[in-house]
Amino acid sequence: MIRLLLVELEPDDIETLTLARALRDRGVEVVYAKAGTAEEIARAAEQEDVRAVGLVVRSDEHRLIGTELAARTVVFATAEDDEHAMRMAGVKAIFRPGNADHVVSWASSLTRDHER
């Protein structure tokens, strides 16, 4: 079973909710959390024993959280731009909106060596 933490960085974030539902429809166990600091999110990822943490990135603040998290855990993001900068900051995978199948394939390929 794949277990992922999705973090809602904005109130009532439809894109994150849509991704969560799509992943659940594909058999992924999704732990859903509201925004917090990178430290709080990393702690939640450790406590929930997830394979990776997912973010929908729309602003510089979101990119900063992703960068800070990438130093502590495996992070993937859904983003429209800045893919190169985010990868250079340690984000492991970038997906375009609506690519739940690709997220599942990528997360399935992660091994214990890739986690944390």
Side-chain angles (χ1 to χ4, degrees):
M1 165 79 55
I2 300 169
R3 185 176 168 95
L4 301 174
L5 173 65
L6 288 185
V7 180
E8 183 178 296
L9 296 174
E10 295 180 356
D12 302 319
D13 184 352
I14 299 301
E15 192 173 334
T16 303
L17 286 170
T18 300
L19 178 58
R21 285 186 194 112
L23 291 172
R24 285 181 182 140
D25 289 349
R26 288 159 178 82
V28 174
E29 184 177 350
V30 176
V31 178
Y32 198 84
K34 300 285 183 175
T37 66
E39 178 80 23
E40 291 168 339
I41 296 167
R43 205 168 332 141
E46 185 176 318
Q47 290 171 349
E48 294 292 343
D49 194 31
V50 296
R51 198 171 289 195
V53 176
L55 310 169
V56 174
V57 174
R58 290 191 190 89
S59 70
D60 288 339
E61 181 182 349
H62 298 166
R63 283 181 196 83
L64 180 60
I65 289 172
T67 299
E68 290 176 18
L69 276 173
R72 298 183 181 106
T73 190
V74 177
V75 175
F76 69 94
T78 299
E80 292 288 340
D81 59 1
D82 246 0
E83 291 181 33
H84 179 72
M86 291 173 60
R87 285 186 192 280
M88 295 302 293
V91 173
K92 298 294 186 212
I94 311 294
F95 301 95
R96 295 284 181 194
N99 279 314
D101 287 333
H102 293 162
V103 174
V104 172
S105 294
W106 171 79
S108 296
S109 72
L110 291 176
T111 64
R112 285 282 174 202
D113 293 340
H114 290 100
E115 296 177 29
R116 291 195 238 315

